[in-house]
Amino acid sequence: MATKNAPVKKSTTAKAPKTTSKTPAKKDAAKNLSDLFEDGLKDIYWAEKALAKALPKMHKNATEPKLKTAIADHLEETKEHVRRLEGCFKALKKRAQAKKCDAMEGLLEEGKSIIEETKPGAVRDAGIIAAAQKVEHYEIATYGTLAAYAKVLKEKDCLKYLLSTLDEEKNCNNLLTKIADTNLNSKAIND
Ligand SMILES: [Fe+2]
Ligand SMILES: [Fe+2]
């Protein structure tokens, strides 16, 4: 039997996991944090535009009025997120350019299948919330990172835009949690 409070023995023999060799960088690879920042902006710019196109379908398929309102409100916010990103590109004196975001494409694809795989009503609503929260978490992670970069790079205008959007993504996620907790998940048990 293990002794209570016994010190945890740290292994000194752990070996680094076996990997293949380092991945060579592409020709246009980011060379510094500014490049990485700009690449991240292009990526989330694509993601926000794709989300603006996908949200109406989620809205149409939702039943609970509070959920429908939350999605409709977030669609308007998402359009503003697109405009704020355009503001970021402008502040950087760069052309607003979208680069396909594989992560968002996958999340939206998953959202589409969850709609097809659920009966309309509380169960589909619970599925829509799950899919939407995955999207919001992705956005929160992305904007958190980009805001940290903007801070280090002293891009004050960008930082302001990114933090405003980050706040709205967090609020949306919290609202979705509240709707699921107070209304939906319990209804979905018996739907
Ligand atoms: Fe957004
Ligand atoms: Fe969002």
Side-chain angles (χ1 to χ4, degrees):
M1 208 169 116
T3 324
K4 232 183 173 185
N5 299 328
V8 179
K9 230 181 173 185
K10 269 192 185 167
S11 167
T12 49
T13 53
K15 283 181 192 153
K18 273 186 188 168
T19 57
T20 51
S21 52
K22 269 188 191 170
T23 308
K26 285 183 183 173
K27 254 189 170 173
D28 61 348
K31 289 177 222 47
N32 52 39
L33 197 68
S34 292
D35 290 349
L36 199 58
F37 181 52
E38 208 189 313
D39 282 349
L41 290 174
K42 289 177 185 170
D43 203 80
I44 193 70
Y45 186 47
W46 187 96
E48 292 282 19
K49 285 185 171 193
L51 182 58
K53 281 188 203 152
L55 282 172
K57 190 171 183 171
M58 285 195 191
H59 180 264
K60 188 148 185 75
N61 279 282
T63 304
E64 165 70 36
K66 278 182 191 156
L67 178 58
K68 280 185 103 69
T69 307
I71 297 171
D73 289 349
H74 200 56
L75 172 60
E76 290 316 304
E77 284 179 344
T78 299
K79 289 177 188 167
E80 180 60 22
H81 299 171
V82 170
R83 287 191 284 270
R84 285 195 193 122
L85 288 167
E86 286 162 356
C88 284
F89 286 110
K90 206 172 166 193
L92 295 171
K93 296 185 177 62
K94 302 274 182 188
R95 186 169 62 89
Q97 217 183 320
K99 203 173 103 189
K100 192 174 143 199
C101 170
D102 295 328
M104 183 60 87
E105 189 182 47
L107 289 169
L108 295 178
E109 212 37 64
E110 194 183 305
K112 226 162 86 184
S113 3
I114 213 157
I115 289 174
E116 288 161 6
E117 287 159 14
T118 45
K119 193 178 124 193
V123 178
R124 183 171 286 180
D125 282 359
I128 289 174
I129 292 189
Q133 285 197 288
K134 286 180 191 177
V135 167
E136 292 315 305
H137 277 261
Y138 178 74
E139 288 183 303
I140 290 166
T142 302
Y143 281 106
T145 301
L146 291 175
Y149 290 176
K151 204 170 169 187
V152 171
L153 293 167
K154 298 191 168 47
E155 294 293 349
K156 284 186 183 166
D157 290 339
C158 290
L159 180 61
K160 203 176 69 197
Y161 289 133
L162 295 168
L163 289 178
S164 304
T165 298
L166 179 61
D167 258 359
E168 288 173 4
E169 309 293 17
K170 285 181 182 171
N171 290 342
C172 175
N173 183 57
N174 291 340
L175 179 61
L176 290 170
T177 300
K178 215 169 132 193
I179 294 172
D181 283 350
T182 54
N183 299 71
L184 276 174
N185 288 345
S186 49
K187 265 192 210 165
I189 296 173
N190 304 311
D191 201 42

